[in-house]
Amino acid sequence: MERDIFSSFVDQYSKDVYAFCGYLTGNAHDRDDLFQDTFLLATEQMDRIREDGNVKSYLLSLAIGIWRNRVRKRKVRMLLTGERLEASDWEAAEP
């Protein structure tokens, strides 16, 4: 039953989540990774998704959280290795 519910969530919200991931990341590679990881995390947290709740909002908030964590890790890695930070690296986590 959960598989059917989740499948319907993917069918219903995938276009919106995909577009939002593209907006956050600004490039196709990161967009695709973020999209996949968002739905992967959602499958792991199926018990937190309620059918009567705002599923789209929940999925978008997962995408934001995943992306912010990635940007934060990228910044730390760049600071520790001495790589040059671009302005886009600092602004990437802002939706």
Side-chain angles (χ1 to χ4, degrees):
M1 183 64 178
E2 282 187 9
R3 179 176 280 187
D4 294 335
I5 293 170
F6 189 75
S7 179
S8 71
F9 289 161
V10 172
D11 291 342
Q12 188 172 0
Y13 300 111
S14 62
K15 288 181 184 178
D16 292 331
V17 174
Y18 191 74
F20 187 69
C21 290
Y23 170 74
L24 285 176
T25 64
N27 70 67
H29 177 73
D30 287 337
R31 176 199 59 214
D32 293 346
D33 285 346
L34 180 58
F35 175 77
Q36 181 177 1
D37 290 344
T38 298
F39 278 100
L40 179 63
L41 184 58
T43 60
E44 295 169 359
Q45 298 182 358
M46 271 298 290
D47 58 325
R48 295 184 184 182
I49 300 175
R50 295 185 355 220
E51 284 187 76
D52 60 339
N54 191 338
V55 177
K56 179 179 171 182
S57 176
Y58 184 73
L59 292 170
L60 297 181
S61 69
L62 287 178
I64 289 172
I66 294 166
W67 183 244
R68 284 186 174 160
N69 286 338
R70 285 187 184 168
V71 169
R72 189 177 305 118
K73 287 177 184 178
R74 182 181 299 157
K75 288 178 192 176
V76 169
R77 185 183 69 244
M78 293 174 101
L79 288 171
L80 292 175
T81 62
E83 293 178 44
R84 184 172 175 211
L85 291 170
E86 301 294 328
S88 61
D89 293 323
W90 289 105
E91 298 165 355
E94 298 300 321

